[in-house]
Amino acid sequence: MDSIYRIEGISFRYPRGDRKVLDGVSLALFPGQVLCILGPNGAGKSTLLNCMAGLLSPQAGEIALLGRGIESYKRGDMARIVAYVQQAHVPAFAYSVFEFVLTGRAPYVPLFGRPGEEDRRKVWQVLEELNMLALADKAYTEISGGERQQCLIARAIVQEPQVILFDEPTANLDAGNQVRVLRFIRKMAVEGYAVV
């Protein structure tokens, strides 16, 4: 089986940083695999995810996605393969939860186009699977931090990527929603997603 990601010896140092945050990191990620990155605060977990998402470029080493160097992908092409749920998201607009989750379909909507019925159907399906239908019409700016985290996860899922990168996916969630999200991650892996 071919890997989705192959990372060879990457190193990263922030500008004016006194140390390498990543030093010689290597890993491979395969379809259906759940990879958990553990470490103390400041160990470089988020930096590694940012490199895997193409948001940061390592100073050494190589990141290959589906056999191609990550730097060769256009943003839209990469968004069809990789979704990234970051640790924190500050809402800028008072979209409804439904509209916010619908933005996850952007990689499939033509320039100056609008989401279609199939896009909307996928959003309703994911909101139902995540037990979020009651939030659909609420303003994203007015829901709790835990509910926002659920919205970010729903938006990543409707993106239909092959890989989902989660940076602390259960942060700000109560115990019941933590269990629901972790079960959903396991279900995604069974369906063939690669999850970090």
Side-chain angles (χ1 to χ4, degrees):
M1 182 188 308
D2 291 334
S3 63
I4 293 180
Y5 268 105
R6 186 159 301 281
I7 298 175
E8 299 287 343
I10 66 167
S11 296
F12 184 87
R13 180 193 314 261
Y14 286 99
R16 298 188 203 102
D18 58 345
R19 67 178 179 85
K20 288 182 182 176
V21 179
L22 303 174
D23 190 8
V25 175
S26 297
L27 64 88
L29 181 68
F30 296 88
Q33 181 179 10
V34 177
L35 174 67
C36 187
I37 301 168
L38 300 172
N41 291 341
K45 301 180 301 293
S46 295
T47 300
L48 176 59
L49 291 174
N50 281 314
C51 288
M52 292 176 75
L55 301 174
L56 294 174
S57 297
Q59 287 93 19
E62 187 177 306
I63 301 176
L65 177 64
L66 297 176
R68 281 175 47 193
I70 201 169
E71 67 284 346
S72 71
Y73 283 91
K74 292 181 182 172
R75 262 301 141 217
D77 294 335
M78 185 141 169
R80 288 187 182 102
I81 303 167
V82 179
Y84 185 21
V85 180
Q86 294 177 300
Q87 245 180 52
H89 180 261
V90 179
F93 302 102
Y95 292 119
S96 70
V97 164
F98 181 88
E99 292 166 331
F100 177 79
V101 174
L102 185 61
T103 64
R105 298 297 299 162
Y108 304 97
V109 177
L111 189 62
F112 304 116
R114 298 174 61 104
E117 271 314 303
E118 181 63 12
D119 300 307
R120 293 176 183 285
R121 188 192 65 73
K122 287 180 189 298
V123 172
W124 285 120
Q125 180 183 343
V126 169
L127 290 178
E128 184 175 12
E129 283 188 66
L130 291 177
N131 199 27
M132 295 174 61
L133 289 174
L135 295 176
D137 294 326
K138 292 190 175 181
Y140 180 72
T141 52
E142 296 174 9
I143 59 177
S144 73
E147 289 168 331
R148 278 192 205 137
Q149 184 74 3
Q150 288 179 282
C151 290
L152 291 168
I153 292 167
R155 184 176 69 170
I157 292 166
V158 302
Q159 197 174 319
E160 294 187 299
Q162 294 180 48
V163 180
I164 300 184
L165 307 175
F166 287 109
D167 197 349
E168 298 190 26
T170 57
N172 301 316
L173 297 181
D174 60 43
N177 283 321
Q178 285 181 12
V179 169
R180 186 175 292 113
V181 166
L182 293 173
R183 280 187 182 143
F184 202 78
I185 287 172
R186 185 169 54 196
K187 177 179 180 276
M188 290 164 57
V190 168
E191 291 171 359
Y193 289 92
V195 182
V196 181

